[in-house]
Amino acid sequence: MTSHQTAQTMKPATAAKKLGVYLQATPAEFQEGVVSRAELNALQANPPAWLEELRSNGPHPRPVVAAKLGVSIAGLARGGVTEPLTTEQIEALKQESPGWLRKERATQAEVRKEGARITKRNAERAAQSDDRRS
């Protein structure tokens, strides 16, 4: 008995998310079809001009905008940023440094600091637990 393997496919929205691009900015043929795992791998390994352009200049989806600004996605929403932004718009926001952006960056820094503290504490507890077992 031989196994028949079907190609794994995904919706364009899923593929765009994995590629880190805003779906509505992709070419129509990308938006209208399905993307196989092999096609996604090919796009990642050898991106066409449209993909390189979107990655460098945008418009960028919220997760990418948040990462470029150093804030959370929720922080973007609190700051009133609900639309995709281009790289130029992101740089302008960084230069302008509005109050909400400074506040959200500080919040994000605190979250990271607390996460590091908890990770360290858990590692110390695990080490103590291992010492007791020995």
Side-chain angles (χ1 to χ4, degrees):
M1 179 187 231
T2 61
S3 64
H4 179 69
Q5 218 173 7
T6 59
Q8 182 182 9
T9 60
M10 61 193 82
K11 294 177 182 176
T14 303
K17 186 175 182 178
K18 290 180 181 285
L19 292 169
V21 295
Y22 183 57
L23 177 62
Q24 285 75 5
T26 61
E29 57 271 8
F30 181 85
Q31 294 179 36
E32 295 165 359
V34 294
V35 180
S36 71
R37 174 65 62 187
E39 290 169 330
L40 179 68
N41 291 341
L43 286 170
Q44 289 173 327
N46 190 15
W50 64 265
L51 182 54
E52 287 182 349
E53 174 69 19
L54 281 177
R55 284 180 169 168
S56 65
N57 298 320
H60 302 288
R62 283 180 302 165
V64 174
V65 173
K68 286 180 179 270
L69 289 173
V71 300
S72 66
I73 294 173
L76 282 180
R78 285 189 294 269
V81 178
T82 57
E83 297 297 316
L85 299 178
T86 64
T87 300
E88 187 177 303
Q89 291 169 315
I90 292 168
E91 291 304 317
L93 257 178
K94 285 180 181 178
Q95 292 298 318
E96 183 183 317
S97 192
W100 70 266
L101 181 57
R102 290 190 306 274
K103 181 178 182 251
E104 291 301 333
R105 282 181 165 172
T107 300
Q108 192 70 8
E110 286 298 315
V111 168
R112 286 189 189 112
K113 188 172 151 184
E114 180 66 6
R117 185 192 67 77
I118 291 170
T119 300
K120 181 180 175 187
R121 182 199 66 196
N122 290 345
E124 288 169 355
R125 286 181 179 174
Q128 288 174 353
S129 178
D130 288 346
D131 289 346
R132 287 185 199 132
R133 288 185 186 145
S134 298

